[in-house]
Amino acid sequence: MRALIEAIRTVRARRRAASGGMRSYTVVLDWATEEYAHYAAETIQVRAASPLQAEMAALLQAAEANAHHVDQFERATSGRELIIVAGQLLKHIATFSGTHYAIQSDKF
């Protein structure tokens, strides 16, 4: 029995070390400018070490996903520039720990 407990502890420790302290976060971003106000809010799942890193990763993912729709993203050449432009065009609404999905239903 003791060997089983030690094996479980070892597996858990390896998983924690492999993830590097990364946790799942869900970040909700909304378009802050009138030009893109008709776009739907972005709900993005990321893995990060902290909520601030999750927000930055979500801004970068939103910028990369909308690069072909938004002119300001097309002009940015690096990841840092994309995050800066995304910070100007998108506003942070919320960051949730864990993975969450938006539900669309007529029953609510």
Side-chain angles (χ1 to χ4, degrees):
M1 186 65 161
R2 187 150 190 74
L4 177 63
I5 292 171
E6 290 300 321
I8 292 172
R9 286 183 183 165
T10 303
V11 168
R12 286 183 182 167
R14 285 183 184 162
R15 284 185 185 164
R16 271 187 253 126
S19 67
M22 305 288 263
R23 296 179 51 193
S24 294
Y25 290 97
T26 300
V27 180
V28 181
L29 304 169
D30 196 13
W31 294 91
T33 61
E34 289 289 324
E35 185 179 0
Y36 303 108
H38 62 281
Y39 282 20
E42 302 281 335
T43 304
I44 302 169
Q45 288 83 29
V46 295
R47 290 190 56 81
S50 70
L52 180 60
Q53 287 180 346
E55 183 182 343
M56 294 298 122
L59 285 170
L60 181 60
Q61 281 187 16
E64 290 171 345
N66 292 295
H68 57 284
H69 297 296
V70 180
D71 295 334
Q72 290 88 338
F73 292 145
E74 290 178 356
R75 293 184 211 126
T77 58
S78 68
R80 184 176 187 175
E81 290 177 8
L82 283 173
I83 291 174
I84 292 170
V85 173
Q88 295 168 352
L89 297 177
L90 296 160
K91 63 181 174 181
H92 176 255
I93 302 297
T95 300
F96 302 102
S97 183
T99 303
H100 304 279
Y101 297 96
I103 297 174
Q104 296 179 353
S105 174
D106 295 336
K107 296 181 181 180
F108 296 109

